[in-house]
Amino acid sequence: MIYRVKVKPGTSQEKVVENGEGELVVYLRAKAHDGEANKALIKVLSKHFKVAKTRITIRRGEKGRDKIIEVI
């Protein structure tokens, strides 16, 4: 399954919110520095979808806040 994700790094809590536009908004505590936010994103999404972290890949947008995620 493919998802559009908007990442909000450096927030006080970690949560996943589905907005009305078919996009997931993921709030992360990790800062967008040295790939820490991407690691935290995969961790949070694995809990949200109840799948292993290895089943989630970032297909597009590794260095931006708008990403395309694939969950196998």
Side-chain angles (χ1 to χ4, degrees), residues 14-40:
E14 291 186 335
K15 64 180 179 177
V16 178
V17 178
E18 297 182 35
N19 68 5
E21 301 170 4
E23 185 176 68
L24 298 175
V25 180
V26 182
Y27 296 87
L28 301 172
R29 285 188 203 120
K31 301 282 185 184
H33 188 314
D34 292 333
E36 293 300 316
N38 286 337
K39 292 176 190 173

Side-chain angles (χ1 to χ4, degrees), residues 24-56:
L24 298 175
V25 180
V26 182
Y27 296 87
L28 301 172
R29 285 188 203 120
K31 301 282 185 184
H33 188 314
D34 292 333
E36 293 300 316
N38 286 337
K39 292 176 190 173
L41 173 66
I42 291 174
K43 180 180 173 184
V44 168
L45 288 177
S46 71
K47 288 181 183 178
H48 177 75
F49 291 115
K50 297 181 177 104
V51 298
K53 290 186 271 188
T54 56
R55 299 188 67 188
I56 298 174

